[in-house]
Amino acid sequence: AIDPNFEETREREGQERGVDVWGPTDPPEQLGIHGTHVAVDLDICVGDGACLEDCPVDVFEWIDTPDHPESEQKVTPADEDQCIDCMLCVDVCPVDAIDVDPG
Ligand code: SF4
């Protein structure tokens, strides 16, 4: 599961598509956590897509992740500013790759 304390345990390496990237990263095999308010651990994500389908405000976008060991497609929280903290994505993710911090 995603580490809910990632802001303390990881370093912010920069941004991709407007969302923070928390390392370590070593693409294409290791992609880190994308997003801060809505955070997706791309190294856990299996590209199931339930979050993207269920989010009422369309926070997530598909990204291609060729050669990642878990999946060749994943989601990034491109519009995390729109999040209304409903927690649906956290509940539906089959691998607990998402952390939403209403604080
Ligand atoms: Fe979307 Fe709700 Fe997840 Fe926020 S908590 S990203 S609104 S599904």
Side-chain angles (χ1 to χ4, degrees):
I2 186 170
D3 175 5
N5 299 315
F6 68 89
E7 286 177 78
E8 282 84 49
T9 59
R10 293 177 176 235
E11 296 289 328
R12 200 176 72 94
E13 292 189 349
Q15 287 204 320
E16 224 170 89
R17 294 186 178 218
V19 304
D20 294 332
V21 175
W22 300 83
T25 63
D26 184 18
E29 292 90 1
Q30 192 176 22
L31 300 172
I33 290 176
H34 285 213
T36 299
H37 179 82
V38 180
V40 182
D41 190 327
L42 294 202
D43 296 311
I44 296 174
C45 175
V46 292
D48 162 88
C51 56
L52 187 144
E53 286 165 24
D54 286 3
C55 178
V57 291
D58 293 334
V59 161
F60 302 99
E61 281 179 9
W62 286 114
I63 53 170
D64 291 325
T65 56
D67 300 320
H68 188 276
E70 295 300 334
S71 62
E72 302 213 326
Q73 249 197 336
K74 297 178 186 294
V75 301
T76 192
D79 290 311
E80 65 180 337
D81 294 352
Q82 301 297 312
C83 176
I84 56 171
D85 300 330
C86 72
M87 298 297 173
L88 264 179
C89 59
V90 173
D91 291 342
V92 296
C93 179
V95 289
D96 289 332
I98 306 176
D99 181 62
V100 174
D101 182 6

